[in-house]
Amino acid sequence: MATTAADGNLKPYLRKNGVKREHIGKNGYHNHKEKNGQGTDVASRCHKHEPFEQAPMYVAVLTYLGFGIVTLFGYLRDFLRAVGLEKCNIAQEREKQKDFVPLYQDFENFYTRNLYMRVRDNWNRPICSLPGPVFDLMERVSDDYNWTFRYCNRLIYDRHTVNSINSIMEEVSLRYMDSIHEELEQLVANFLGVESAMTYGMGFATNSMNIPALVGRGCLILSDELNHTSLILGARLSGATIRVFKHNNMQSLEKMLKEAVCSGQPRTHRPWKKILIVVEGIYSMEGSVVLLPEVIALKKKYKAYLYLDEAHSIGAVGQTGRGVTELFNVNPADVDVMMGTFTKSFGASGGYIAGKKELVDYLRTHSHSAVYATAMSPPATEQIIRAMKCIMGKDGSTEGLRRIRQLAENTKYFRSRLKEMGFIIYGNNDSPVVPVLLYMPAKVVAFAREMLARKIGVVVVGFPATPITEARARFCVSAAHTRDMLNQVLDCMNEVGDLLCLKFSRRKYSPQPDLCDETDFELDS
């Protein structure tokens, strides 16, 4: 690979972080060389095995054909409803009011009433047990093609478990006046290695309400094309100009940064007030990991700010669970705004913003999530504190560290077995988010139902949450999963994959070594 002229000015920043030299490939990745002289690529160690394998051409053709068929049948069923041969269950206006926009647009609801409604039983399944590696689902059936459901069984909660939860809530209520929220915020700051932190009651609102407080008109947001909806909404609400760069592509990002600095704002060409780069640690639908050292290098080069969403990476990657900053061994101070949620690794609710004290103090008085929202509930706060102390080892045990290592082992084992079977999966080998590509709409529905028949609950995702030709099942591996549990799921996956012909991979699988769990390289500034 040849070094490009566009990346020449990155060298001072990369050298400052302990990197000797860099090359840019056609995919836009900077492949750093370690300063210890062993010649191993730091970035490629974590990302060369992060493929987005393309399905065979016939799969794409059949996927489009499948959507075409269900669309034609949708129009046929709309015709049958219009002539009264089929009952219409969707909400409708009795009389259209003059000079008012209709409440229900027929064309906009076409997908919902004709495609989604037929397969709605694969989503929003009621869970009737406490969180854990195994849970109970309430059985339900529909007599009107999924417009309504009726429940068949009743599940009784374990009274001992409920009583223990009530005792924790009573204990926490007594501590509520003892600044439990301040304790959590200080603990989060210590865990992340930053000056200060602030917590919020809702993870989605942590993004959507804080980004508008940080940027506004005259500012520029550079957003990864696969960012979460909460980030996209926050960017839109801010009023700032939004430009989208290709996923994890440093050439695309640098091109936009260079243009923003050289050209300034449209028409006036005045300099942008702020340039904010918005990325995720682990992308929730792809399982890919952000190229953090490269993003930081570009951010420093062009004097931009960096907003890092670690909803799926905090508590999941890194030797002690401190997220992608620890995974790449970069200085947390190089990330201007660190965001995360407590709904994944900490088993609770809410989110946080962390960084410099000036940033957090500003958000306390300017963020809508702080000014107009209620504080996190005391039981959720206590749950997060206990979970975080366990991860940090402040509970006097090594259970947290054991779980972090167990999660890494489970992730690598689950991914390697799926690749060995011939499934196309996305993402980084260290990512516990494992998307398995299913592609065709009929196969998505059949896969979910076949797995449920084998007592395996899976999450399937399709258009519009994913590209129309890349429907998938998303698995999230847990440290609580035992090897027997994983093997049970994998055996069912293998059986269903053969039954439905879901093994599309054409790559020959070869086991890969562990990539990012050594500490023999330095990127600290």
Side-chain angles (χ1 to χ4, degrees), residues 1-8 11 21-25 30 251:
M1 289 180 281
T3 305
T4 64
D7 122 278
K11 292 181 179 179
R21 46 195 182 118
E22 70 284 343
H23 298 282
I24 297 183
H30 294 271
Q251 284 183 330

Side-chain angles (χ1 to χ4, degrees), residues 190-341:
N190 294 340
F191 181 63
L192 298 175
V194 295
E195 295 179 6
S196 185
M198 182 177 181
T199 58
Y200 303 87
M202 181 180 179
F204 190 99
T206 305
N207 278 331
S208 60
M209 294 290 99
N210 279 299
I211 292 178
L214 296 172
V215 292
R217 294 189 181 277
C219 299
L220 174 65
I221 294 177
L222 299 180
S223 176
D224 190 289
E225 65 179 348
L226 297 182
N227 275 341
H228 189 262
T229 305
S230 58
L231 295 169
I232 297 172
L233 178 60
R236 290 175 176 173
L237 292 175
S238 69
T241 301
I242 305 170
R243 292 175 184 167
V244 180
F245 62 92
K246 295 179 182 179
H247 175 56
N248 250 355
N249 191 304
M250 297 301 104
Q251 284 183 330
S252 176
L253 175 58
E254 183 169 17
K255 180 180 178 181
M256 292 185 179
L257 282 167
K258 185 180 295 184
E259 180 182 354
V261 172
C262 296
S263 301
Q265 300 183 39
R267 295 190 300 274
T268 63
H269 298 292
R270 293 177 179 174
W272 295 100
K273 296 178 181 177
K274 297 176 187 175
I275 300 177
L276 181 66
I277 303 170
V278 181
V279 295
E280 294 187 47
I282 292 179
Y283 289 84
S284 57
M285 284 298 168
E286 270 63 31
S288 53
V289 178
V290 66
L291 296 170
L292 189 58
E294 291 87 337
V295 174
I296 290 176
L298 289 174
K299 165 226 160 184
K300 291 182 176 181
K301 174 182 176 181
Y302 292 98
K303 303 297 188 290
Y305 295 94
L306 177 58
Y307 187 107
L308 176 63
D309 179 346
E310 290 213 81
H312 286 271
S313 55
I314 193 67
V317 296
Q319 285 197 330
T320 59
R322 284 169 167 81
V324 290
T325 56
E326 184 179 49
L327 181 69
F328 290 103
N329 200 19
V330 302
N331 190 348
D334 289 335
V335 180
D336 300 286
V337 186
M338 300 183 71
M339 178 271 173
T341 62

Side-chain angles (χ1 to χ4, degrees), residues 1 19 46 96 103 137 143 152 204 244 255 350 364 390 415 427:
M1 289 180 281
V19 177
C46 298
K96 292 186 178 180
L103 290 176
L137 291 179
D143 301 316
C152 302
F204 190 99
V244 180
K255 180 180 178 181
R364 290 189 190 279
C390 178
R415 282 182 167 273

Side-chain angles (χ1 to χ4, degrees), residues 351-376:
Y352 65 82
I353 292 287
K356 293 184 178 180
K357 187 176 184 302
E358 294 82 358
L359 167 72
V360 175
D361 290 345
Y362 173 83
L363 290 177
R364 290 189 190 279
T365 56
H366 290 80
S367 169
H368 291 318
S369 290
V371 178
Y372 298 110
T374 57
M376 189 184 301

Side-chain angles (χ1 to χ4, degrees), residues 14-251:
L14 296 174
R15 288 199 188 102
K16 181 180 179 182
N17 287 288
V19 177
K20 271 191 172 181
R21 46 195 182 118
E22 70 284 343
H23 298 282
I24 297 183
K26 293 181 180 179
N27 59 359
Y29 294 168
H30 294 271
N31 299 321
H32 305 323
K33 299 286 185 175
E34 293 183 38
K35 69 177 182 181
N36 59 14
Q38 296 178 356
T40 305
D41 292 349
V42 173
S44 64
R45 285 175 61 178
C46 298
H47 296 278
K48 68 181 179 181
H49 302 300
E50 191 175 282
F52 289 86
E53 182 180 350
Q54 297 296 318
M57 180 61 69
Y58 78 89
V59 175
V61 172
L62 291 177
T63 301
Y64 280 115
L65 183 61
F67 274 104
I69 292 173
V70 296
T71 301
L72 289 176
F73 273 92
Y75 281 114
L76 175 61
R77 296 182 67 228
D78 277 353
F79 172 75
L80 295 177
R81 295 188 189 107
V83 298
L85 296 179
E86 181 177 332
K87 181 181 178 182
C88 182
N89 293 294
I90 199 166
Q92 293 178 318
E93 291 181 87
R94 292 185 178 180
E95 297 180 1
K96 292 186 178 180
Q97 302 183 50
K98 186 179 180 181
D99 300 328
F100 282 86
V101 177
L103 290 176
Y104 304 100
Q105 297 284 354
D106 287 341
F107 181 76
E108 293 177 0
N109 292 326
F110 179 86
Y111 182 89
T112 300
R113 66 177 179 267
N114 291 315
L115 282 77
Y116 171 71
M117 203 55 69
R118 305 287 292 193
V119 297
R120 194 164 70 102
D121 58 298
N122 295 296
W123 286 271
N124 304 317
R125 291 169 176 160
I127 297 176
C128 303
S129 62
L130 295 174
V134 179
F135 52 86
D136 298 324
L137 291 179
M138 177 73 77
E139 184 180 355
R140 58 181 182 172
V141 295
S142 177
D143 301 316
D144 53 5
Y145 301 102
N146 296 336
W147 287 95
T148 60
F149 293 100
R150 57 184 176 86
Y151 299 103
C152 302
N153 297 330
R154 288 185 178 180
L155 297 179
I156 301 176
Y157 289 102
D158 184 345
R159 182 173 298 180
H160 174 74
T161 302
V162 175
N163 287 340
S164 65
I165 294 177
N166 289 338
S167 65
I168 293 177
M169 293 180 64
E170 181 179 356
E171 175 188 344
V172 171
S173 298
L174 295 175
R175 292 186 54 213
Y176 179 62
M177 300 305 294
D178 295 333
S179 304
I180 187 174
H181 295 86
E182 292 182 7
E183 179 185 353
L184 174 60
E185 291 177 348
Q186 185 59 50
L187 189 65
V188 170
N190 294 340
F191 181 63
L192 298 175
V194 295
E195 295 179 6
S196 185
M198 182 177 181
T199 58
Y200 303 87
M202 181 180 179
F204 190 99
T206 305
N207 278 331
S208 60
M209 294 290 99
N210 279 299
I211 292 178
L214 296 172
V215 292
R217 294 189 181 277
C219 299
L220 174 65
I221 294 177
L222 299 180
S223 176
D224 190 289
E225 65 179 348
L226 297 182
N227 275 341
H228 189 262
T229 305
S230 58
L231 295 169
I232 297 172
L233 178 60
R236 290 175 176 173
L237 292 175
S238 69
T241 301
I242 305 170
R243 292 175 184 167
V244 180
F245 62 92
K246 295 179 182 179
H247 175 56
N248 250 355
N249 191 304
M250 297 301 104
Q251 284 183 330

